[in-house]
Amino acid sequence: MKRTRDEVDATLQIAKLNAAELLPAVHCLGFGPGASGAAAGDFCLLELEPTLCQQLEDGHSLVIRGDKDEQAVLCSKDKTYDLKIADTSNMLLFIPGCKTPDQLKKEDSHCNIIHTEIFGFSNNYWELRRRRPKLKKLKKLLMENPYEGPDSQKEKDSNSSKYTTEDLLDQIQASEEEIMTQLQVLNACKIGGYWRILEFDYEMKLLNHVTQLVDSESWSFSKVPLNTCLQELGPLEPEEMIEHCLKCYGKKYVDEGEVYFELDADKICRAAARMLLQNAVKFNLAEFQEVWQQSVPEGMVTSLDQLKGLALVDRHSRPEIIFLLKVDDLPEDNQERFNSLFSLREKWTEEDIAPYIQDLCGEKQTIGALLTKYSRSSMQNGVKVYNSRRPIS
């Protein structure tokens, strides 16, 4: 049965509400034939921040990503969010075409009664929480089949693992923009439509070709001509690989219509150090620094600051040693990362640990905040050090 105006006024009077203080329009709610048998789990509500609402209104998509064994995340074009269920004590009703008080105020409505049918209901909704993208899997997939050069036997094997952009979007829990940014960080390139990481020895082979050519031509490291490089090194390696190497270790610019690259000394020195350290468990620091300086092109100066997040120095051993410790080999989870670091070394200075936790910092989060949450501080010989809050097995 539909309520009349007299019944509505009588209800207001019983509730001791002044009709003059309310909007004239009245919504009378009732369950429709379908909604009366609907269960609370038949519908899902998703709470969105204004920027995500605007993206949907502009025609963009929001994508839920994750394998069966992973916690699902929601991705916009440039951000990643955790999906969390929020329960509410108030029943949430789905009412198609329902008008809000603001909409009713704009209408020239008199004392009309609007009979509204409830389509469904829910006792909870999904809320989003911004999170770091889960990108460790990206490198793992690409390292299944690193590119060793056009003549490699692997390139003739059609069964080797290869991934297109669509494959990566389907398997990596991150937004497209975050995935593309990480592909640049990994120095990945597209070969035959598939994303590939160069095998490190092959990458160093390309870099040596470039630096030897720069030396033989007496070019400045800040002005390496692309076309001449391609002409001289083209017979040795594919031109697209030479140009990719220049992009990885230099910055592209144009001068008087000619394309040049300014080589990055820090990146080249860092690569040389990795080459030396990858075959040694531990390296005498003094000997390493001497060999390292000799292994880089003349005119470049090595510095331990170039190795942050790549190698760790032990100043307490005698003699002092250095060994390879790459940040991208550490666990992605915050607690697991700290457990791994504290199992490797009991006490850390902020200077030593910072390169290995910097990537864990979320928006508006600092290294200091992470250290406060996951470690204890103390003074050792006048220097603040950090150790684990929990026993490390």
Side-chain angles (χ1 to χ4, degrees):
M1 290 179 61
K2 293 186 177 181
R3 287 188 176 185
T4 64
R5 186 71 216 189
D6 289 341
E7 290 173 326
V8 170
D9 290 338
T11 303
L12 290 175
Q13 195 170 10
I14 293 170
K16 297 182 179 179
L17 295 174
N18 185 357
E21 296 175 355
L22 305 175
L23 291 176
V26 177
H27 273 291
C28 290
L29 305 182
F31 282 96
S36 59
D42 289 347
F43 303 95
C44 290
L45 289 173
L46 179 63
E47 183 182 62
L48 297 178
E49 59 187 42
T51 53
L52 290 179
C53 283
Q54 189 60 52
Q55 287 183 26
L56 286 178
E57 290 170 0
D58 292 342
H60 298 291
S61 299
L62 299 178
V63 185
I64 295 176
R65 295 193 170 113
D67 288 336
K68 291 180 179 179
D69 59 343
E70 294 174 323
Q71 183 73 36
V73 299
L74 183 138
C75 300
S76 65
K77 61 180 181 179
D78 60 349
K79 292 182 176 66
T80 304
Y81 300 85
D82 272 327
L83 283 163
K84 301 288 185 182
I85 290 182
D87 292 317
T88 174
S89 57
N90 297 320
M91 184 180 291
L92 303 171
L93 304 178
F94 304 162
I95 305 175
C98 182
K99 294 180 179 178
T100 65
D102 289 338
Q103 290 172 320
L104 290 171
K105 285 178 184 177
K106 295 177 182 178
E107 297 182 358
D108 185 19
S109 58
H110 298 287
C111 298
N112 58 320
I113 295 179
I114 304 171
H115 293 281
T116 306
E117 187 176 295
I118 298 171
F119 185 73
F121 64 94
S122 177
N123 293 316
N124 55 50
Y125 61 94
W126 290 95
E127 63 179 8
L128 304 181
R129 295 178 189 173
R130 181 75 193 281
R131 64 154 297 124
R132 296 193 317 275
K134 299 181 180 181
L135 294 166
K136 194 172 185 65
K137 187 177 178 181
L138 177 59
K139 182 179 180 182
K140 181 182 177 183
L141 292 178
L142 296 182
M143 288 304 293
E144 291 173 357
N145 182 27
Y147 185 71
E148 299 177 0
D151 300 325
S152 168
Q153 183 62 38
K154 284 185 179 179
E155 296 309 302
K156 299 168 187 175
D157 182 4
S158 59
N159 295 321
S160 298
S161 301
K162 295 178 184 177
Y163 299 93
T164 63
T165 300
E166 289 69 29
D167 294 332
L168 296 178
L169 287 171
D170 189 48
Q171 297 194 48
I172 306 301
Q173 290 187 289
S175 68
E176 182 170 1
E177 188 173 302
E178 289 166 331
I179 290 173
M180 292 302 156
T181 299
Q182 186 66 12
L183 286 170
Q184 289 185 332
V185 171
L186 294 173
N187 288 338
C189 62
K190 262 191 174 181
I191 301 174
Y194 297 96
W195 285 103
R196 309 290 297 277
I197 289 180
L198 303 193
E199 194 272 330
F200 186 62
D201 287 344
Y202 180 61
E203 185 178 313
M204 291 305 293
K205 178 182 176 183
L206 293 171
L207 181 59
N208 285 334
H209 284 322
V210 171
T211 55
Q212 287 172 11
L213 179 62
V214 170
D215 181 60
S216 66
E217 297 289 341
S218 299
W219 291 334
S220 165
F221 287 117
S222 63
K223 198 169 186 178
V224 179
L226 173 61
N227 286 336
T228 308
C229 279
L230 298 181
Q231 290 169 9
E232 295 293 328
L233 301 178
L236 302 176
E237 296 291 344
E239 290 187 358
E240 59 270 21
M241 289 295 98
I242 299 298
E243 185 170 359
H244 175 66
C245 180
L246 287 167
K247 287 178 180 177
C248 291
Y249 290 95
K251 185 178 180 180
K252 185 178 181 180
Y253 68 96
V254 178
D255 184 20
E256 296 181 354
E258 186 79 17
V259 178
Y260 294 93
F261 281 87
E262 179 181 359
L263 295 184
D264 189 320
D266 287 346
K267 287 184 178 180
I268 293 173
C269 291
R270 185 180 174 91
R274 179 182 167 188
M275 194 73 184
L276 292 171
L277 292 170
Q278 69 177 1
N279 296 319
V281 177
K282 293 180 180 179
F283 212 128
N284 179 299
L285 179 60
E287 292 177 2
F288 165 77
Q289 287 180 293
E290 184 179 347
V291 175
W292 182 27
Q293 182 59 59
Q294 294 171 356
S295 68
V296 301
E298 189 175 349
M300 292 188 179
V301 179
T302 59
S303 165
L304 291 177
D305 285 339
Q306 296 163 337
L307 305 185
K308 290 180 178 179
L310 175 70
L312 190 62
V313 174
D314 187 347
R315 300 284 187 186
H316 297 290
S317 67
R318 292 292 178 266
E320 295 178 342
I321 60 170
I322 186 171
F323 56 94
L324 197 67
L325 181 62
K326 295 187 288 182
V327 65
D328 51 1
D329 287 340
L330 296 173
E332 201 167 31
D333 176 75
N334 287 16
Q335 187 63 64
E336 290 178 15
R337 173 78 62 90
F338 275 91
N339 289 349
S340 178
L341 291 171
F342 286 126
S343 64
L344 183 69
R345 175 184 286 185
E346 184 182 359
K347 295 182 178 181
W348 292 74
T349 63
E350 183 173 347
E351 182 183 6
D352 283 346
I353 202 172
Y356 294 103
I357 61 174
Q358 178 69 58
D359 62 310
L360 300 181
C361 293
E363 285 185 315
K364 300 178 182 178
Q365 191 174 32
T366 63
I367 287 174
L370 279 174
L371 288 171
T372 299
K373 184 175 181 179
Y374 294 100
S375 68
R376 299 182 189 277
S377 65
S378 60
M379 298 300 291
Q380 183 174 291
N381 300 325
V383 177
K384 183 181 277 191
V385 293
Y386 298 87
N387 63 287
S388 178
R389 280 187 172 275
R390 56 178 65 184
I392 300 295
S393 56

